[in-house]
Amino acid sequence: MTATPSTTVANLRDLGGTPLSGGRTVRPGLVLRSGQLDRLDLDADPVVAALGLRTVIDFRTDAERADHPDRIPAGARLLVGDVLADKLRAAGKKPAAAQLKDLLSDPVVAEEHLGGGKAQALFADTYRSFVHSGSAQAAYRMLLTEAADPQAGPLLFHCTAGKDRTGWGATVILALLGADDDTLMAEYLSVNPAVKQAFAPMIEGFTAAGGDPDIALALIGVFPSYLEAALDEVETRYGSMEKYVREGLGVPDETVEALRARLVG
C-alpha cells in the first residue's frame, strides 16, 4: 500500500501494491483510503483529481459529517455507512474514535477518562464493536459490495482520521485478497506517521497544557493491540475472516470472488 502525496486530503493511501500470497499484489488505483474530505480541492490537488474517484464511502457519525462535510468530486457518488451508530446508541456518548478533538482539549478530563490504560481499553472495545455491531456490519458489507463492483469505479473509503474504522475496512479487504497476518499488521500500522503529522498541533497543545503524551498517542496513533482486539473478535465469534464476511456481514461468496477478480493483479 502506498501513501499518495495529496495536499488537501489527510492520510490518503492506495491499497494498490500491497503484497498478496503467491507473489501477487493489489491492483492500483481502484480502492483507496483516507481521512475526511472536508478540505478536498481538486483544482489545488492534481494528485486526487487524477484518481478519477467515482464512489466515496463515509464511515463517520452524523455529528462528524455535520461538523466537517465531505467535499465530493463532481460526478462521484457519496455513500454513508455510520460504523459507530449502534455503539453510540448503546453507550449514550461518543466513542473515543469519534471525539479526538474533544478529548484532547482538556488534559484533566482526558486523564480522568483515559489515563492508566483506559484509552487502550476503550479502543479495544470499539474495535470489537467493528466486528459485532449491526451498524458496523452494514457499513462493511457496503464497502465489500461496492469494492467488488466494477461499475463503482475508483472507490475511496474514509472516516475522520482514516485510521480506526477505515483501518478495519482495509484489513478485511486485504485479508480476503490473500494478504498474510504480518502484511495486514504492517499496513494497519503504516498510517501512524501521517496521522501524527495531521494531529501534531493538537498533540503539542495538549502536552503544553500538561496533558500526558501517552494519552495523546493512544488516541492519535494505532497500536497492534487495537487491531488484535478486532481479529480476536472475528476468531471468537466466527472462527475465520471468511465466515465473518459470509455470516456476520452477509456478503455472499460470489461477491468475495468478484472482489478478488477485480483487485488481485
Side-chain angles (χ1 to χ4, degrees):
M1 189 185 295
T2 52
T4 303
S6 166
T7 54
T8 67
V9 179
N11 199 11
L12 178 63
R13 301 179 67 79
D14 187 346
L15 270 63
T18 304
L20 305 172
S21 61
R24 306 180 78 176
T25 57
V26 180
R27 288 194 177 115
L30 292 175
V31 179
L32 302 100
R33 56 178 288 185
S34 73
Q36 61 197 26
L37 305 183
D38 58 320
R39 295 189 304 114
L40 175 63
D41 183 346
L42 294 183
D43 292 332
D45 202 338
V47 167
V48 180
L51 295 173
L53 296 175
R54 304 297 299 166
T55 301
V56 173
I57 296 180
D58 187 344
F59 285 151
R60 296 178 298 165
T61 63
D62 291 344
E64 289 172 296
R65 296 197 308 276
D67 288 345
H68 299 280
D70 273 353
R71 301 175 72 173
I72 302 298
R77 298 179 304 150
L78 174 62
L79 304 174
V80 173
D82 183 346
V83 170
L84 293 173
D86 286 357
K87 185 101 177 112
L88 284 172
R89 274 193 290 270
K93 62 181 194 287
K94 290 193 282 186
Q99 56 171 334
L100 292 174
K101 293 184 174 70
D102 298 349
L103 290 167
L104 288 181
S105 63
D106 188 334
V108 176
V109 172
E111 180 63 41
E112 177 188 344
H113 291 286
L114 301 170
K118 290 179 188 168
Q120 289 84 348
L122 279 171
F123 270 94
D125 180 60
T126 298
Y127 271 69
R128 289 181 182 279
S129 80
F130 293 167
V131 176
H132 65 72
S133 86
S135 59
Q137 290 175 345
Y140 294 120
R141 176 166 59 248
M142 178 200 300
L143 173 64
L144 295 180
T145 302
E146 292 293 329
D149 183 0
Q151 301 304 312
L155 177 152
L156 172 73
F157 62 101
H158 76 90
C159 50
T160 293
K163 67 187 184 77
D164 299 307
R165 289 162 283 186
T166 297
W168 179 242
T171 297
V172 175
I173 289 176
L174 294 173
L176 290 174
L177 297 181
D180 63 24
D181 291 347
D182 289 345
T183 300
L184 293 178
M185 184 60 74
E187 295 301 339
Y188 171 73
L189 295 174
S190 66
V191 302
N192 268 329
V195 173
K196 286 174 183 171
Q197 180 183 4
F199 286 96
M202 203 182 298
I203 297 172
E204 288 161 14
F206 179 75
T207 51
D212 181 347
D214 287 343
I215 291 177
L217 286 175
L219 290 174
I220 296 301
V222 293
F223 293 84
S225 62
Y226 297 178
L227 184 61
E228 286 161 0
L231 292 170
D232 179 69
E233 189 76 0
V234 166
E235 186 65 31
T236 300
R237 286 179 179 259
Y238 300 102
S240 71
M241 185 67 78
E242 283 73 16
K243 284 191 73 177
Y244 156 66
V245 168
R246 185 185 305 120
E247 298 172 13
L249 302 186
V251 174
D253 292 346
E254 49 267 35
T255 299
V256 175
E257 289 162 15
L259 183 81
R260 291 173 177 147
R262 182 172 185 235
L263 299 182
V264 175

